[in-house]
Amino acid sequence: MNELTWMPATEIREKIVSGEVSSREVLEHFIERIERLNPTLKAFVHLDLDGARARATELDESLARGETPGPLHGLPISVKENLSVAGMPYSFPRMGEYGVACYDAIAVERLRAAGAIIVGTNTMMGTSRPKGVTARPEAPDLGAFNWDAETRSPWDIDRVPGWSSSGGAATAAARLLPLAIGSDGGGSTRLPAAFSGVVGVHPTRGLVPYVDYRQPKFRVSATNGALTRNVKDAALVTQALAGPDARDYLAIQTQPQDYMKEISGGVQGWKFAWTDTFGNTEQYAQPHSSAIIDQVRQAAWKLADIGASIDHADISFEALGRGGGPGEGEPFVYEIEIAPVNKTPMPKVDPEAYRANAEWRASTWNEMHRAFDNYDLVLSVTSQEVAPTFEDWKQNWETDKWGNKRGGYAGVYTSHTSFLNVIGLPAVSIPCGLHNGLPISLQIIGPASSEHRIFQAASAIEGAVGFSHRPAIS
């Protein structure tokens, strides 16, 4: 059974469907890994092993009855702890309300419908829960992480696996499970993926519907996406998650493309644009940034060896800024309340700040689409740094190089990712090498609803680069 550990999820499913192995046997294999490795990695905050075992048995019985298996039939999966999973504790520190979830998030509904087995929820970097406590209602102090509870990188347990979707990234990297789901509000799936050497998906805004009945709001910049060891697995999960749902006002209105149909079709004749900095990220450069960008650029240029062309492109726009919006301290719009809760007044929005934000979004969107007029896809690094040590991470969030306190490091950390959340365009991060023994990654960006082409390109690059490194804790 040990061969299951690193086997692509697509192949595991084939073995289950063919009867070579049962869903329950696959699940037990990965439960053993969780029980052995999770005490070190701390990738899970909640586990439902009894529920997972019951679901695996149910799936095996349905297959024996001749029922048609779903695309994720028998595959064990975890989701980030800010997604509601019916019957499991729901612990998202923004909520201020806790307890057992009474419904599945739409993404979780779709995973179950596709035949996946929900094993548990992954720890979010930044919840800073006291030892032995699963959640706390107050927002965390960015410089006061509880290192006894936060997820550790499987590459080096003295390093962080990235912010927010940290537990899912560590789960995928160390193969505690074949599949995990993260969320990305400014890079929070892609950046942990980059630090952890796995594939991370940030889909088009509205491709994966979302609704929160307890605190109604429009989620305008965050997405849910897969964390996996390979591109085909990421495409398979994205297919299961994607599509319209009228419960979400911002959900797409048309059916998505078939992401698996042409995924192995190659990139012969395609044109790619490369940018080092988007005209603004050099201000956030760290000591090793230049070397990392050079190394990722070399990996990107392997596209020329497999039939594509790639050019340095002049793509330039203003940075989001240290405060999370255009310029100094303008608002990064993460979510918008649908209606006042308990009839309390909604906070007023500064019209000029909102106008500046809207104009920045428009100019940035226009700049990216000027590139898409001439190129199929745009490439960059995902992060211009590697996973920092816990001590460096703590120091970065306490004081950045400008002397900003409590969160100024966000501009550094998300320099190549967060603008895509604001303008709603999709991107996938794929590992492409190691720098000083730690993963580095390439980001592939496309226009809205181009996931099928992004996955096709990612699969081609994956084959050309051949990233097969495994972390120390695995």
Side-chain angles (χ1 to χ4, degrees):
M1 296 291 287
N2 286 336
E3 69 274 10
L4 292 173
T5 301
W6 304 103
M7 185 180 294
T10 52
E11 294 182 18
I12 294 175
R13 180 192 175 276
E14 289 175 4
K15 288 185 176 293
I16 294 171
V17 171
S18 70
E20 188 173 339
V21 66
S22 69
S23 300
R24 181 64 182 265
E25 288 172 326
V26 169
L27 176 65
E28 294 298 339
H29 172 79
F30 286 104
I31 287 176
E32 184 279 329
R33 292 185 62 76
I34 292 170
E35 291 177 338
R36 178 162 49 89
L37 300 177
N38 192 58
T40 298
L41 295 178
K42 301 175 174 63
F44 286 87
V45 65
H46 300 297
L47 288 165
D48 179 17
L49 301 186
D50 289 341
R53 286 174 169 130
R55 173 64 168 158
T57 298
E58 177 185 302
L59 289 166
D60 286 335
E61 290 173 350
S62 74
L63 198 62
R65 291 192 298 269
E67 296 178 10
T68 302
L72 302 179
H73 183 95
L75 295 176
I77 193 168
S78 56
V79 303
K80 191 174 177 179
E81 65 173 300
N82 64 348
L83 273 174
S84 176
V85 181
M88 295 186 66
Y90 183 74
S91 50
F92 186 28
R94 284 170 171 259
M95 290 297 299
E97 179 183 341
Y98 299 91
V100 176
C102 59
Y103 67 92
D104 283 339
I106 295 174
V108 176
E109 280 183 7
R110 292 183 172 186
L111 294 172
R112 292 193 200 273
I117 300 170
I118 311 296
V119 175
T121 56
N122 290 125
T123 311
M124 288 175 61
M125 171 71 75
T127 50
S128 299
R129 59 187 63 80
K131 188 174 183 180
V133 177
T134 58
R136 70 183 197 183
E138 68 269 26
D141 179 340
L142 291 173
F145 299 106
N146 174 13
W147 304 121
D148 290 330
E150 302 289 7
T151 308
R152 295 176 176 269
S153 169
W155 295 85
D156 178 348
I157 60 171
D158 292 324
R159 294 179 183 269
V160 302
W163 175 270
S164 196
S165 298
S166 52
T171 291
R175 279 295 271 219
L176 302 184
L177 290 175
L179 306 168
I181 301 295
S183 70
D184 193 316
S188 292
T189 298
R190 287 162 289 161
L191 290 164
F195 282 3
S196 302
V198 298
V199 178
V201 180
H202 161 61
T204 301
R205 177 187 292 129
L207 183 72
V208 180
Y210 175 86
V211 64
D212 186 338
Y213 300 122
R214 295 192 301 173
Q215 197 172 42
K217 64 180 74 73
F218 295 126
R219 194 173 67 167
V220 297
S221 68
T223 62
N224 290 115
L227 288 157
T228 67
R229 284 275 305 180
N230 65 76
V231 172
K232 283 187 177 179
D233 288 354
L236 181 72
V237 174
T238 306
Q239 195 78 65
L241 295 174
D245 192 301
R247 289 172 289 180
D248 181 354
Y249 280 82
L250 300 183
I252 62 169
Q253 299 292 303
T254 57
Q255 292 297 328
Q257 297 275 352
D258 183 343
Y259 304 143
M260 304 297 286
K261 184 177 180 181
E262 301 290 341
I263 196 167
S264 300
V267 290
Q268 183 76 30
W270 289 30
K271 295 177 64 178
F272 291 85
W274 167 270
T275 177
D276 285 354
T277 68
F278 295 104
N280 69 70
T281 64
E282 60 268 67
Q283 65 183 301
Y284 301 118
Q286 303 296 291
H288 297 285
S289 293
S290 178
I292 290 169
I293 291 170
D294 286 346
Q295 194 173 340
V296 176
R297 189 192 311 112
Q298 290 174 25
W301 247 260
K302 291 183 181 293
L303 286 162
D305 299 331
I306 55 175
S309 64
I310 181 168
D311 299 323
H312 287 274
D314 182 16
I315 302 172
S316 182
F317 48 83
E318 183 184 356
L320 272 171
R322 300 172 206 165
E328 294 293 327
E330 296 295 347
F332 181 109
V333 181
Y334 178 81
E335 54 197 18
I336 300 173
E337 206 169 280
I338 294 174
V341 177
N342 298 327
K343 301 188 181 298
T344 56
M346 293 179 71
K348 290 185 177 180
V349 175
D350 179 350
E352 289 306 311
Y354 182 73
R355 178 179 179 180
N357 188 286
E359 290 181 350
W360 179 90
R361 290 198 309 273
S363 64
T364 303
W365 188 94
N366 289 337
E367 181 69 5
M368 289 300 296
H369 279 78
R370 276 191 285 273
F372 296 138
D373 286 341
N374 298 303
Y375 298 96
D376 292 288
L377 300 169
V378 173
L379 308 176
S380 75
V381 295
T382 308
S383 173
Q384 56 181 327
E385 59 177 341
V386 293
T389 64
F390 280 101
E391 186 57 37
D392 285 345
W393 183 261
K394 177 178 181 292
Q395 181 63 39
N396 285 340
W397 284 104
E398 288 179 338
T399 306
D400 67 16
K401 71 178 183 180
W402 301 280
N404 293 325
K405 298 286 187 179
R406 290 175 57 85
Y409 181 64
V412 176
Y413 180 57
T414 67
S415 62
H416 286 74
T417 58
S418 58
F419 73 96
L420 294 165
N421 296 79
V422 181
I423 61 178
L425 298 186
V428 169
S429 176
I430 64 168
C432 62
L434 299 177
H435 181 79
N436 293 337
L438 296 169
I440 54 176
S441 289
L442 173 72
Q443 180 172 229
I444 308 171
I445 306 164
S449 299
S450 65
E451 279 81 359
H452 59 299
R453 294 180 66 79
I454 292 175
F455 285 129
Q456 188 171 340
S459 181
I461 295 170
E462 182 180 62
V465 172
F467 185 90
S468 59
H469 305 282
R470 295 175 184 175
I473 307 299
S474 61

